[in-house]
Amino acid sequence: TNTTELSYLYQKLNEDHWWRKHWQQHLTTLVSFKKLTDQWGSKLLVVIIPEKFQVYPYLTKTHGENFDLTKPNREIIYALKTANIDYLDLLPHFQKVADKTQKTRLNPTTDYYWNEDQHWNIQGNKFAGKVISQYLKNYNLPIKSDKNN
């Protein structure tokens, strides 16, 4: 899937009942996970992973003035807050450090995504790992001892 197709999917989230229905099913699943972790005395943390075009918007075609790159994140964050589910949105972290110099290809040693697809490259994985581990260090994790395991 290329960035144009992915951005189209984000736009469809607002326009298409089918997409809205499946988005709601996804959120319902997260609420179920939350209930399960609460029963176990654990915590659920949802990590929101940004799409490449959210971090490097110049790599995709223009979507018009009304295209909002952060809308999916805001919608999921609203739903997570409503369900009292903890989250970590990586988008602002990646946006803060990403090289904003427009270029036709990303540099695999300094940028965070592969050119060929939507996945993080080695640098992206390392950076995400640092952000997540720092968050977890500050996160109030309950310690529960189970003598049967």
Side-chain angles (χ1 to χ4, degrees):
T1 304
N2 65 40
T3 54
T4 304
E5 290 168 344
L6 289 169
S7 59
Y8 173 76
L9 297 181
Y10 280 142
Q11 289 296 85
K12 293 300 286 181
L13 182 61
N14 293 324
E15 302 166 1
D16 190 312
H17 175 71
W18 185 88
W19 281 104
R20 177 59 62 189
K21 174 185 168 191
H22 290 285
W23 181 259
Q24 189 57 48
Q25 287 174 342
H26 180 68
L27 297 176
T28 300
T29 301
L30 288 173
V31 170
S32 296
F33 279 131
K34 170 68 171 152
K35 289 177 184 175
L36 187 60
T37 57
D38 286 348
Q39 289 173 1
W40 289 343
S42 298
K43 284 194 167 191
L44 173 64
L45 174 67
V46 174
V47 178
I48 304 169
I49 299 172
E51 292 283 354
K52 179 165 69 173
F53 75 89
Q54 290 178 292
V55 178
Y56 303 104
Y58 62 84
L59 291 176
T60 189
K61 295 178 182 176
T62 304
H63 300 284
E65 297 172 10
N66 296 326
F67 190 75
D68 183 353
L69 293 172
T70 63
K71 185 172 180 66
N73 298 57
R74 288 195 320 274
E75 287 200 15
I76 188 82
I77 288 168
Y78 175 79
L80 294 170
K81 284 181 177 179
T82 301
N84 198 29
I85 297 173
D86 294 322
Y87 66 91
L88 171 58
D89 184 3
L90 295 179
L91 179 58
H93 298 276
F94 273 87
Q95 287 175 327
K96 183 177 178 182
V97 299
D99 179 3
K100 294 168 184 56
T101 307
Q102 291 194 17
K103 50 194 165 250
T104 56
R105 292 188 56 80
L106 296 176
N107 183 327
T109 59
T110 58
D111 292 312
Y112 298 99
Y113 288 79
W114 294 113
N115 282 299
E116 295 76 21
D117 63 27
Q118 304 305 309
H119 296 94
W120 291 324
N121 61 19
I122 294 168
Q123 298 306 318
N125 278 286
K126 286 181 181 179
F127 180 71
K130 287 178 185 177
V131 172
I132 294 167
S133 63
Q134 186 60 47
Y135 184 88
L136 291 175
K137 285 180 186 177
N138 299 325
Y139 194 67
N140 185 20
L141 295 173
I143 298 176
K144 185 175 179 180
S145 175
D146 184 356
K147 295 181 181 183
N148 295 328
N149 288 331

Short mmCIF file of all heavy atoms in Angstrom, two decimals, residues 41-63:
data_model
loop_
_atom_site.label_atom_id
_atom_site.label_comp_id
_atom_site.label_asym_id
_atom_site.label_seq_id
_atom_site.Cartn_x
_atom_site.Cartn_y
_atom_site.Cartn_z
N GLY A 41 -5.55 -7.29 37.07
CA GLY A 41 -4.76 -6.37 37.89
C GLY A 41 -3.58 -5.80 37.13
O GLY A 41 -2.57 -5.40 37.72
N SER A 42 -3.69 -5.76 35.82
CA SER A 42 -2.63 -5.23 34.96
C SER A 42 -3.07 -3.92 34.36
O SER A 42 -4.20 -3.47 34.57
CB SER A 42 -2.33 -6.23 33.83
OG SER A 42 -1.87 -7.44 34.36
N LYS A 43 -2.17 -3.32 33.59
CA LYS A 43 -2.50 -2.09 32.88
C LYS A 43 -2.34 -2.33 31.38
O LYS A 43 -1.50 -3.09 30.94
CB LYS A 43 -1.57 -0.95 33.30
CG LYS A 43 -1.89 -0.38 34.65
CD LYS A 43 -1.16 0.92 34.84
CE LYS A 43 -1.72 1.64 36.04
NZ LYS A 43 -1.24 3.00 36.10
N LEU A 44 -3.17 -1.64 30.63
CA LEU A 44 -3.10 -1.68 29.17
C LEU A 44 -2.53 -0.36 28.69
O LEU A 44 -2.97 0.71 29.12
CB LEU A 44 -4.49 -1.89 28.58
CG LEU A 44 -4.61 -1.80 27.06
CD1 LEU A 44 -3.81 -2.91 26.38
CD2 LEU A 44 -6.07 -1.87 26.64
N LEU A 45 -1.55 -0.43 27.85
CA LEU A 45 -0.99 0.75 27.21
C LEU A 45 -1.08 0.56 25.71
O LEU A 45 -0.55 -0.41 25.17
CB LEU A 45 0.47 0.97 27.60
CG LEU A 45 1.19 2.11 26.88
CD1 LEU A 45 0.60 3.47 27.28
CD2 LEU A 45 2.68 2.08 27.16
N VAL A 46 -1.76 1.46 25.04
CA VAL A 46 -1.87 1.43 23.58
C VAL A 46 -0.84 2.40 23.02
O VAL A 46 -0.81 3.57 23.39
CB VAL A 46 -3.29 1.82 23.12
CG1 VAL A 46 -3.35 1.93 21.60
CG2 VAL A 46 -4.31 0.81 23.62
N VAL A 47 0.02 1.90 22.16
CA VAL A 47 1.02 2.73 21.50
C VAL A 47 0.51 3.03 20.10
O VAL A 47 0.25 2.12 19.31
CB VAL A 47 2.40 2.05 21.45
CG1 VAL A 47 3.41 2.92 20.71
CG2 VAL A 47 2.88 1.73 22.87
N ILE A 48 0.34 4.30 19.81
CA ILE A 48 -0.17 4.74 18.50
C ILE A 48 1.03 5.00 17.60
O ILE A 48 1.86 5.86 17.89
CB ILE A 48 -1.05 5.99 18.65
CG1 ILE A 48 -2.19 5.72 19.64
CG2 ILE A 48 -1.58 6.43 17.29
CD1 ILE A 48 -2.96 6.95 20.05
N ILE A 49 1.11 4.25 16.52
CA ILE A 49 2.25 4.31 15.61
C ILE A 49 1.88 5.17 14.41
O ILE A 49 0.90 4.90 13.73
CB ILE A 49 2.65 2.89 15.16
CG1 ILE A 49 3.05 2.07 16.39
CG2 ILE A 49 3.76 2.94 14.12
CD1 ILE A 49 3.28 0.61 16.09
N PRO A 50 2.68 6.19 14.13
CA PRO A 50 2.35 7.07 13.00
C PRO A 50 2.65 6.43 11.65
O PRO A 50 3.57 5.63 11.51
CB PRO A 50 3.26 8.29 13.22
CG PRO A 50 4.41 7.77 14.00
CD PRO A 50 3.88 6.64 14.85
N GLU A 51 1.85 6.80 10.68
CA GLU A 51 2.11 6.41 9.29
C GLU A 51 3.26 7.28 8.75
O GLU A 51 3.47 8.40 9.21
CB GLU A 51 0.86 6.66 8.44
CG GLU A 51 -0.30 5.75 8.77
CD GLU A 51 -0.12 4.35 8.22
OE1 GLU A 51 0.86 4.09 7.48
OE2 GLU A 51 -0.97 3.51 8.52
N LYS A 52 3.93 6.76 7.76
CA LYS A 52 5.05 7.49 7.18
C LYS A 52 4.63 8.86 6.67
O LYS A 52 5.31 9.85 6.87
CB LYS A 52 5.69 6.66 6.05
CG LYS A 52 6.87 7.38 5.38
CD LYS A 52 7.73 6.46 4.53
CE LYS A 52 7.09 5.95 3.30
NZ LYS A 52 8.04 5.21 2.44
N PHE A 53 3.47 8.95 6.02
CA PHE A 53 3.05 10.23 5.44
C PHE A 53 2.66 11.24 6.52
O PHE A 53 2.60 12.43 6.25
CB PHE A 53 1.93 10.04 4.41
CG PHE A 53 0.58 9.74 4.97
CD1 PHE A 53 -0.29 10.76 5.32
CD2 PHE A 53 0.18 8.43 5.14
CE1 PHE A 53 -1.55 10.48 5.82
CE2 PHE A 53 -1.07 8.14 5.64
CZ PHE A 53 -1.93 9.17 6.00
N GLN A 54 2.40 10.78 7.76
CA GLN A 54 2.15 11.72 8.84
C GLN A 54 3.45 12.37 9.30
O GLN A 54 3.46 13.52 9.72
CB GLN A 54 1.50 11.02 10.04
CG GLN A 54 0.07 10.58 9.80
CD GLN A 54 -0.48 9.87 11.00
OE1 GLN A 54 -0.04 8.77 11.34
NE2 GLN A 54 -1.45 10.50 11.66
N VAL A 55 4.54 11.64 9.23
CA VAL A 55 5.85 12.15 9.64
C VAL A 55 6.51 12.91 8.51
O VAL A 55 7.16 13.94 8.73
CB VAL A 55 6.74 10.98 10.12
CG1 VAL A 55 8.14 11.49 10.51
CG2 VAL A 55 6.09 10.25 11.30
N TYR A 56 6.36 12.43 7.29
CA TYR A 56 6.94 13.05 6.09
C TYR A 56 5.82 13.37 5.10
O TYR A 56 5.70 12.72 4.06
CB TYR A 56 7.95 12.11 5.44
CG TYR A 56 9.08 11.69 6.36
CD1 TYR A 56 9.10 10.42 6.93
CD2 TYR A 56 10.12 12.56 6.66
CE1 TYR A 56 10.13 10.02 7.78
CE2 TYR A 56 11.16 12.17 7.50
CZ TYR A 56 11.15 10.90 8.06
OH TYR A 56 12.17 10.52 8.89
N PRO A 57 4.98 14.35 5.37
CA PRO A 57 3.82 14.60 4.50
C PRO A 57 4.19 15.01 3.08
O PRO A 57 3.40 14.80 2.16
CB PRO A 57 3.07 15.72 5.22
CG PRO A 57 4.02 16.31 6.18
CD PRO A 57 5.03 15.26 6.51
N TYR A 58 5.38 15.51 2.88
CA TYR A 58 5.79 15.92 1.53
C TYR A 58 6.00 14.73 0.60
O TYR A 58 6.09 14.91 -0.62
CB TYR A 58 7.05 16.79 1.58
CG TYR A 58 8.26 16.08 2.16
CD1 TYR A 58 9.06 15.27 1.37
CD2 TYR A 58 8.59 16.24 3.50
CE1 TYR A 58 10.16 14.62 1.90
CE2 TYR A 58 9.69 15.60 4.04
CZ TYR A 58 10.47 14.79 3.23
OH TYR A 58 11.56 14.16 3.76
N LEU A 59 6.06 13.52 1.14
CA LEU A 59 6.26 12.34 0.30
C LEU A 59 4.99 11.86 -0.40
O LEU A 59 5.03 10.98 -1.23
CB LEU A 59 6.82 11.18 1.13
CG LEU A 59 8.24 11.35 1.63
CD1 LEU A 59 8.63 10.18 2.52
CD2 LEU A 59 9.21 11.47 0.45
N THR A 60 3.87 12.43 -0.04
CA THR A 60 2.61 12.00 -0.65
C THR A 60 2.02 13.16 -1.45
O THR A 60 2.44 14.30 -1.31
CB THR A 60 1.63 11.50 0.44
OG1 THR A 60 0.51 10.92 -0.20
CG2 THR A 60 1.20 12.59 1.36
N LYS A 61 1.06 12.84 -2.27
CA LYS A 61 0.43 13.87 -3.09
C LYS A 61 -0.41 14.80 -2.24
O LYS A 61 -0.86 14.44 -1.15
CB LYS A 61 -0.44 13.21 -4.16
CG LYS A 61 0.36 12.39 -5.14
CD LYS A 61 -0.54 11.73 -6.14
CE LYS A 61 0.28 10.87 -7.10
NZ LYS A 61 -0.54 10.14 -8.03
N THR A 62 -0.68 15.96 -2.74
CA THR A 62 -1.52 16.93 -2.05
C THR A 62 -2.92 16.37 -1.90
O THR A 62 -3.48 15.79 -2.82
CB THR A 62 -1.57 18.25 -2.83
OG1 THR A 62 -0.22 18.69 -3.00
CG2 THR A 62 -2.37 19.29 -2.10
N HIS A 63 -3.50 16.57 -0.72
CA HIS A 63 -4.82 16.03 -0.43
C HIS A 63 -5.86 17.11 -0.31
O HIS A 63 -6.97 16.85 0.14
CB HIS A 63 -4.78 15.23 0.87
CG HIS A 63 -3.83 14.10 0.80
ND1 HIS A 63 -4.10 12.94 0.13
CD2 HIS A 63 -2.57 13.96 1.28
CE1 HIS A 63 -3.06 12.12 0.23
NE2 HIS A 63 -2.13 12.72 0.90
#
